[in-house]
Amino acid sequence: MAEKVVVSAEKLRGHCEGVLTKVGLRQTHAALVTDSLVFADLRGVGSHGVVRLSAYLDRVQAGVMEVDPEMALVRDNPASALLDACNGFGQVAGAKAMDIAIQKAGDSGAGIVAVKNSNHFGVAAFYAMRAVAAKMIGVVLTNASPAMTPYNARKRLLGTNPLAVAIPAGSQRPIVLDMSTSVVARGKIRLAAARPGEKIPLGWAVDADGKPTDNPLEALKGSLTPIGGPKGAGLSLVIDLLCGALTGTALTGEVKNITDTSGRSRTGHMFIAINVARFIEPHTFSHSVDSVIQGIKALPSADGMPVYLPGEIEFNLEARRREEGIPLAVEVMETLSRLGERHGVGRLSAEGMDAG
């Protein structure tokens, strides 16, 4: 197992925010991007956490991503809008778009904001939960670079195209579903590929010949496995059309990978906020959601382990990591330290080693 160190969330946040500010993001935007990355690491989604920072800055340095453009609404209607991210950070566009959707939902009952000309935005749950904070339901979609084949095809064309839905509760924690349309996010395979000799579970991906593989390097040359076979492939296609074709940003298969610095990413997103109060009395709804959660938690376990709700494992892990710190691979720690030195922030220090 790769050696890991432990870093507090606050120290990690301060370091990454400092680097992003030095690169040229205004402070509020640097804080927002950092919050998204640390949020992912706190919740155990390391593939979308601070490990992504160097790739973002590589894209900026290559001139294929803007540091901090003025994003603008190009279409604005009572319940919908289209935001042009102007090739800036996806996190900045995502938060702005969801906040506009929430405002429109307050006025119209529901708000839909699509985003064009964006970049990788981290984990979708980060934005869906902004709606929960406003006591609304949040739905988030985004497309991604080719990683899966359409059903029964041999060439990669579809992205892992995630879907997130966050539903507020009352006394219980919200339901937060955040899933890619592949069996696993490609970032997890990239993390495994960066660790010499590490294998991935069979069923995650196939190699270039379409055969199941446990070799992450071969998996990256091949295709990820869609959830539910044709169902996952179909869902990915639908999300891509909603985020790419509908926004006028890219056709299916045209989004560039985060590590590809040959051109603009051409990523599109969609954010939906649903105002619970326009459909039902909020207390009645929250009581109903609580009752469903409590009913599910009371069900007998199939294997003696707890019965979990969507997002519950991540909430538990976040609470623990806020207390104990975030484990980072030594290689990631060193990359962040080099970025800090390069931009005058200094090296990142750890609290200790990860006990595993």
Side-chain angles (χ1 to χ4, degrees), residues 15-304:
H15 183 85
C16 294
E17 185 176 329
V19 169
L20 287 165
T21 303
K22 291 286 188 179
V23 168
L25 269 76
R26 66 197 80 174
Q27 194 278 327
T28 53
H29 290 176
L32 182 61
V33 174
T34 299
D35 283 346
S36 164
L37 300 178
V38 175
F39 173 89
D41 280 311
L42 282 169
R43 294 172 69 84
V45 193
S47 59
H48 287 54
V50 295
V51 69
R52 296 287 193 176
L53 182 59
S54 61
Y56 293 159
L57 300 188
D58 286 345
R59 294 186 60 76
V60 170
Q61 186 173 15
V64 297
M65 180 170 154
E66 300 297 323
V67 173
D68 207 356
E70 292 295 336
M71 302 177 183
L73 291 176
V74 293
R75 293 180 184 268
D76 191 8
N77 305 295
S80 66
L82 176 63
L83 176 70
D84 189 343
C86 299
N87 197 35
F89 275 79
Q91 285 89 344
V92 177
K96 184 178 181 69
M98 180 53 91
D99 289 349
I100 294 170
I102 291 168
Q103 178 267 313
K104 290 184 178 296
D107 297 334
S108 302
I112 302 176
V113 179
V115 177
K116 65 185 296 183
N117 300 327
S118 189
N119 285 280
H120 186 271
F121 71 2
V123 288
F126 181 73
Y127 312 97
M129 288 175 66
R130 291 177 82 89
V132 168
K135 302 189 185 305
M136 296 186 186
I137 296 169
V139 181
V140 179
L141 313 171
T142 189
N143 58 7
S145 60
M148 301 189 300
T149 63
Y151 185 65
N152 209 33
R154 293 189 62 182
K155 181 180 178 181
R156 288 186 304 190
L157 189 71
L158 304 172
T160 55
N161 300 353
L163 159 70
V165 181
I167 301 175
S171 62
Q172 303 296 309
R173 290 184 293 197
I175 298 290
V176 183
L177 173 70
D178 187 357
M179 52 172 267
S180 66
T181 47
S182 57
V183 170
V184 69
R186 183 167 47 186
K188 291 187 177 181
I189 295 180
R190 282 202 197 94
L191 284 177
R195 300 165 184 157
E198 185 158 330
K199 301 293 185 181
I200 59 173
L202 287 172
W204 277 16
V206 296
D207 62 19
D209 295 322
K211 297 179 181 178
T213 181
D214 61 2
N215 185 325
L217 295 175
E218 294 302 317
L220 291 174
K221 297 175 186 176
S223 172
L224 298 183
T225 304
I227 55 171
K231 295 180 181 180
L235 181 57
S236 174
L237 175 60
V238 168
I239 292 173
D240 196 87
L241 293 171
L242 291 173
C243 296
L246 186 63
T247 64
T249 301
L251 299 183
T252 301
E254 292 182 344
V255 175
K256 287 190 180 297
N257 189 280
I258 189 174
T259 60
D260 183 348
T261 57
S262 65
R264 293 187 168 205
S265 172
R266 301 178 69 189
T267 303
H269 323 298
M270 180 169 285
F271 303 86
I272 303 170
I274 301 170
N275 188 348
V276 171
R278 292 297 187 95
F279 295 86
I280 189 173
E281 202 280 318
H283 177 74
T284 301
F285 179 74
S286 62
H287 178 75
S288 295
V289 175
D290 281 351
S291 295
V292 171
I293 292 172
Q294 291 163 343
I296 291 174
K297 295 294 290 181
L299 292 173
S301 169
D303 59 4

